[in-house]
Amino acid sequence: MKGMTVIVKKTTQLIAGLVFLYGIYVIIHGHLTPGGGFAGGIIIAGSFILLILAFGSDFIRLTKEETGSTMYENLAILIVTFLAASGMLFGARIFFINWLPKGTAGELISAGMLPLYNIFVGLEVAASILTIFLALIIFKEEMPE
Amino acid sequence: MIPYYLCFILFLVGLYGIITRRNLVKIAISLSVMEFSVFLLLALTGYREGGVAPIVDPTDPVKVYVDPLPQAMVLTAIVIGLATTAMIMAVIIRIYRKYGTFDIREIKNLRG
Amino acid sequence: MNPLIPLFVIVPLAGAFLIMILGRLIRNLDKYLASLILLFLVSVSFWFLLTTGDKVTVYKAGGWEPVNGIPIAIYMVLDGFNTLVLCIINIIGFVSVFYSITYMSRYTSENYFYALFCLMIAGMNGVVISGDLFNIFVFLEISAISSYALVAFGVEKNELEATFKYQVLGALASFIILLGIGLIYWKAKTLNIADIRMVFSSGYDRAYYLLIQILLLCGFGLKAAIIPFHAWLPDAHSSAPSPISAMLSGVLIKAAGIYVIIRLFFNMFAISQGMSVLITTLGALSMVTGVFLAIGQWDIKRLLAYHSISQMGYVVLSVGIGMMMISKGIRDEIAALAIAGGLFHLINHAAFKGLLFLNAGAIEYTTGTRDLREMGGLAKQMPVTAATSFAASMAISGIPPFNGFFSKLIIIIAAVLAKYYLLAVLAVIVSIITLASFLKFQRYAFFNKSDDQNKRNIKEVPFPMLFSMIVLSIICLLLSILALPGIRETILMPATDILMDPSKYASQITGI
């Protein structure tokens, strides 16, 4: 897959980092403001997709990246499952219970387990959107002309 | 009531597309149209007169909030819809590679 | 709050992603890990089957207690009916995954297969145990999306076409279901099945209520492939790899379709005369049409797939007779008999249809064809496959002493007692045509003489496939003891009771 023109490349260089940071902001403020894991994850995946579309990438690197993102996706969802099941080991021993201290409402570190869920759901969504995107590109590249 | 009826009409538009279109990609697009009409209706069911976004403001206890549960449901359903769409697009690309066409009339190996 | 209940979802879900991560590093781990997971689930579900009885166990995820009597947590519910369905899901799942150990070795990227299989099991278990509508939808989609991928696992022309059809109709069904759920939430402002019943029992708008019922019946009917909505089933079930066909036909259309229809129309909606007539008609229609579509088929798996529609018709028919009896308000014992017959046939169908698809897979594995006309004389080379498939064919066509006989007998007796003589006659006729169609299958596949030279080197299939088929044929024989008086009361009657007495279900869950 080929890259795009110099103008697009330069703009993407300037923007992609900011988009990535904004995604992280949305994820870690998920329990305080609208947004959260899913929205932030999509934004992070968007920054990677911008880079790939603007700069292009060759086939072998794409398949390697897809392997990596699949791995991240599986790890993230395993951790989310573990966090949900951890309620059965600690606290009141109930599935999905929020057993960490709640803190005061409105602070960044509060609401117990929710920020942790948000972070790993965000990772999961970012990795899976990237995987879908890469898989579709790989399909297209494999196709005989 | 008009927005609710418009959602139903959008649903029927999607259904019409699925039934009449011959192109695989257009069928997938019609599915998405149908899907989002349902999501719109779901989000509308949480509407309250004069309600604001459901972020609790401790200083103003009498504020009216819209119902947050349909929003959470719609978000979950959007994630599911994303997975369905990705899956169907992958299948369509594979079908194009095997059959060399998007036309549903030429894809009929299975009958009976 | 029994801590084992959420394990039905957690264990296969975590297992699926563990297989994805570790399956790349360690060879053959995927097969054994998946088998172990299913074995664990089988033992847990059996434990529940023996201990549940007629009590209703509720698990509130997150530990959220009801506020002012309104449930706010995600409820997981186990009662007599659930545990039966959980048992058949996990047993057929275990047998199929054990069968796949050799069957799937012909395909590439096996670890994806086992991961998707575990996801499908997690979805179906989730549908069955969850006590609120939206979670039923979410888990339904988990199982549906993984089954779309599994049907297309061979990525050849036929598989892709079948999966496209399946996906379009499945997605249509999902949106119709979601629309119904949204409309319910709009009026009732709750999603918990028991709570919805409480809210609607204090009065409702009749037309609106009917619209919701029709929407949900259409949606879950599409998932269950009842006759006007059956277009996807023969393609999808015949194109999938054989263990997946066994899962789809044996379990998925029950867990995602029939189970939810029965649960919602008995425990959530008030039973009305019109709805029960509609359901009975649909059942009779799919019973008759399915078998007539099946008899002309020459592809084994297509034939079996059409028979699934017909046999599901029996289940829907007898449950519908039960609903009609309840709506008339007279003679509850006939209603109980009809419902028990339907549930019994549901269990039996999982056993023998799973076995028949595994047999078809074994034949395809050795001979490489699915066309009945190209087979013949396999009984000598494949004695175990021939014997097990004979047992399954006799069971599905209702020959004693196999399980199918007893469930069909109960259904026919219930129809006669309820004075629906036409339905009873139809059930008998359909059973005879089923017998004819399976005699054709037996004759062409196993007993016909064939002097084809290249059939000489056909051997019996390897051990894991044989083991699965033998286990299922023994289950087919053993299930007939469920009809005996002492055992029927402990296994079938709790399930029937929970359906017969919806107010008990609602009050036990909401605790009012």
Side-chain angles (χ1 to χ4, degrees):
Chain A
M1 179 174 175
K2 282 195 301 205
M4 294 190 185
T5 58
V6 161
I7 302 173
V8 179
K9 280 184 182 169
K10 193 71 200 167
T11 325
T12 311
Q13 257 180 4
L14 295 173
I15 286 177
L18 289 177
V19 172
F20 187 79
L21 280 180
Y22 180 63
I24 290 179
Y25 166 81
V26 170
I27 288 178
I28 60 174
H29 286 76
H31 55 296
L32 303 174
T33 56
F38 182 68
I42 297 257
I43 295 170
I44 288 183
S47 74
F48 285 112
I49 291 172
L50 261 182
L51 283 175
I52 293 172
L53 281 181
F55 287 89
S57 182
D58 60 7
F59 185 70
I60 300 160
R61 255 191 71 201
L62 279 176
T63 44
K64 267 187 198 157
E65 275 173 30
E66 200 225 349
T67 320
S69 65
T70 313
M71 199 60 105
Y72 271 112
E73 184 199 343
N74 292 325
L75 267 178
I77 200 158
L78 257 186
I79 293 170
V80 172
T81 323
F82 174 75
L83 284 176
S86 74
M88 299 178 76
L89 306 174
F90 309 103
R93 297 181 185 277
I94 295 169
F95 183 47
F96 253 118
I97 199 167
N98 191 345
W99 53 272
L100 284 175
K102 304 286 189 298
T104 46
E107 301 258 321
L108 186 57
I109 297 176
S110 64
M113 308 272 285
L114 291 189
L116 285 175
Y117 282 129
N118 269 331
I119 289 168
F120 288 107
V121 169
L123 196 59
E124 150 71 19
V125 172
S128 58
I129 299 281
L130 194 59
T131 312
I132 291 169
F133 176 73
L134 289 172
L136 291 181
I137 292 184
I138 289 169
F139 272 170
K140 179 175 160 286
E141 300 276 300
E142 275 176 358
M143 186 124 45
E145 290 302 323
Chain B
M1 280 306 278
I2 291 172
Y4 301 96
Y5 289 124
L6 285 179
C7 287
F8 272 112
I9 291 171
L10 199 58
F11 188 83
L12 295 179
V13 168
L15 195 60
Y16 175 78
I18 291 171
I19 294 167
T20 57
R21 294 298 102 181
R22 304 281 183 217
N23 189 317
L24 297 184
V25 181
K26 284 184 183 163
I27 291 177
I29 293 172
S30 311
L31 269 180
S32 293
V33 169
M34 230 175 112
E35 184 186 329
F36 278 88
S37 76
V38 178
F39 295 165
L40 270 175
L41 186 82
L42 260 179
L44 275 175
T45 58
Y47 175 73
R48 263 179 217 153
E49 196 72 42
V52 295
I55 300 166
V56 177
D57 183 3
T59 56
D60 187 3
V62 290
K63 222 177 212 171
V64 180
Y65 301 109
V66 295
D67 191 349
L69 188 62
Q71 302 185 357
M73 275 157 56
V74 168
L75 198 58
T76 317
I78 285 175
V79 179
I80 293 168
L82 177 80
T84 318
T85 312
M87 184 70 214
I88 207 165
M89 289 321 281
V91 169
I92 287 173
I93 292 174
R94 291 276 191 176
I95 286 180
Y96 184 72
R97 202 185 301 160
K98 292 281 176 195
Y99 286 83
T101 177
F102 281 128
D103 193 334
I104 201 161
R105 283 167 297 186
E106 290 171 30
I107 304 168
K108 44 183 180 188
N109 267 12
L110 300 168
R111 351 180 102 192
Chain C
M1 297 284 249
N2 193 325
L4 285 174
I5 296 175
L7 287 187
F8 280 115
V9 180
I10 301 174
V11 172
L13 197 64
F17 294 102
L18 261 183
I19 287 171
M20 285 293 285
I21 293 173
L22 296 180
R24 287 169 195 238
L25 309 176
I26 308 165
R27 267 187 72 231
N28 286 339
L29 176 99
D30 43 8
K31 299 164 185 158
Y32 303 119
L33 191 59
S35 306
L36 273 180
I37 288 167
L38 266 300
L39 197 60
F40 170 74
L41 290 177
V42 167
S43 47
V44 175
S45 56
F46 257 102
W47 188 77
F48 274 119
L49 184 68
L50 296 178
T51 55
T52 297
D54 42 352
K55 61 176 186 291
V56 178
T57 321
V58 179
Y59 193 96
K60 305 179 186 82
W64 298 90
E65 293 299 327
V67 180
N68 304 327
I70 300 165
I72 56 170
I74 293 171
Y75 276 39
M76 297 179 181
V77 182
L78 263 190
D79 55 27
F81 181 31
N82 272 352
T83 44
L84 267 182
V85 183
L86 275 180
C87 264
I88 58 175
I89 290 173
N90 292 313
I91 289 174
I92 306 289
F94 170 67
V95 171
S96 308
V97 89
F98 201 73
Y99 180 92
S100 328
I101 288 178
T102 50
Y103 185 86
M104 291 310 289
S105 53
R106 297 183 298 170
Y107 291 77
T108 50
S109 40
E110 278 178 79
N111 58 340
Y112 289 100
F113 175 83
Y114 291 102
L116 286 168
F117 195 95
C118 287
L119 263 184
M120 192 164 81
I121 294 281
M124 286 190 288
N125 281 345
V127 169
V128 174
I129 62 172
S130 71
D132 79 87
L133 274 176
F134 193 70
N135 272 284
I136 286 180
F137 171 74
V138 171
F139 285 119
L140 195 69
E141 285 298 283
I142 291 178
S143 61
I145 291 173
S146 43
S147 70
Y148 302 152
L150 283 170
V151 168
F153 204 74
V155 286
E156 287 303 323
K157 279 189 167 184
N158 288 353
E159 280 93 335
L160 290 170
E161 187 190 337
T163 200
F164 186 77
K165 251 185 216 174
Y166 181 23
Q167 247 180 331
V168 170
L169 288 175
L172 194 65
S174 307
F175 304 142
I176 292 174
I177 292 168
L178 190 61
L179 186 62
I181 293 173
L183 291 179
I184 287 178
Y185 183 77
W186 196 6
K187 276 287 178 299
K189 292 290 169 204
T190 177
L191 287 168
N192 191 294
I193 291 175
D195 204 31
I196 290 169
R197 185 176 180 92
M198 295 284 193
V199 171
F200 276 138
S201 65
S202 58
Y204 48 82
D205 180 0
R206 286 190 71 86
Y208 194 80
Y209 199 63
L210 193 66
L211 174 69
I212 295 170
Q213 282 183 321
I214 298 279
L215 280 176
L216 288 181
L217 185 65
C218 284
F220 288 109
L222 258 167
K223 295 270 181 200
I226 304 174
I227 260 303
F229 317 111
H230 69 288
W232 58 271
L233 184 136
D235 294 344
H237 288 201
S238 59
S239 302
S242 282
I244 297 308
S245 308
M247 281 306 283
L248 291 178
S249 235
V251 182
L252 188 75
I253 55 171
K254 299 184 183 64
I258 307 279
Y259 165 80
V260 190
I261 288 178
I262 295 176
R263 173 64 87 203
L264 295 188
F265 280 89
F266 277 90
N267 286 152
M268 194 172 86
F269 295 119
I271 295 170
S272 65
Q273 179 98 36
M275 232 36 217
S276 51
V277 171
L278 182 61
I279 287 178
T280 316
T281 319
L282 286 180
L285 202 65
S286 43
M287 186 173 81
V288 176
T289 322
V291 83
F292 278 113
L293 287 171
I295 192 141
Q297 298 296 328
W298 287 103
D299 181 332
I300 320 174
K301 285 170 89 175
R302 247 184 134 69
L303 184 143
L304 296 178
Y306 276 117
H307 275 296
S308 285
I309 299 176
S310 162
Q311 300 297 316
M312 281 298 98
Y314 272 100
V315 177
V316 176
L317 170 78
S318 93
V319 168
I321 291 176
M323 279 176 79
M324 283 213 270
M325 285 289 111
I326 293 176
S327 72
K328 282 181 183 165
I330 43 163
R331 312 182 69 179
D332 270 351
E333 69 280 357
I334 298 174
L337 189 69
I339 294 168
L343 297 185
F344 191 19
H345 199 67
L346 189 96
I347 306 166
N348 290 345
H349 179 257
F352 53 66
K353 191 46 71 66
L355 176 53
L356 279 168
F357 269 113
L358 296 188
N359 290 140
I363 294 171
E364 198 189 350
Y365 186 82
T366 48
T367 63
T369 177
R370 290 198 323 230
D371 195 329
L372 279 173
R373 285 165 293 196
E374 294 171 20
M375 297 168 194
L378 290 177
K380 259 186 205 130
Q381 282 109 335
M382 305 167 70
V384 180
T385 311
T388 49
S389 96
F390 184 74
S393 306
M394 291 304 105
I396 195 173
S397 32
I399 303 291
F402 292 101
N403 53 3
F405 170 73
F406 294 100
S407 51
K408 283 185 180 174
L409 190 68
I410 296 177
I411 292 172
I412 292 166
I413 289 175
V416 169
L417 285 179
K419 298 207 169 59
Y420 296 112
Y421 298 115
L422 179 67
L423 294 178
V425 171
L426 273 182
V428 174
I429 292 174
V430 169
S431 185
I432 292 168
I433 301 175
T434 310
L435 179 63
S437 134
F438 275 93
L439 285 181
K440 167 187 154 189
F441 165 53
Q442 290 292 319
R443 176 164 171 269
Y444 276 92
F446 294 109
F447 297 116
N448 229 6
K449 283 280 173 289
S450 85
D451 38 25
D452 206 344
Q453 282 303 313
N454 56 12
K455 289 224 179 82
R456 287 285 157 77
N457 50 7
I458 288 171
K459 278 190 233 120
E460 187 58 280
V461 288
F463 168 73
M465 292 164 85
L466 285 184
F467 174 79
S468 306
M469 293 192 287
I470 292 171
V471 165
L472 272 181
S473 57
I474 292 171
I475 289 175
C476 270
L477 262 178
L478 281 185
L479 275 176
S480 46
I481 63 168
L482 275 184
L484 294 178
I487 298 159
R488 189 174 60 204
E489 268 86 53
T490 51
I491 309 266
L492 279 181
M493 279 304 144
T496 316
D497 286 343
I498 204 83
L499 294 176
M500 293 282 294
D501 192 1
S503 55
K504 181 181 146 204
Y505 175 84
S507 63
Q508 289 212 16
I509 287 176
T510 49
I512 303 167

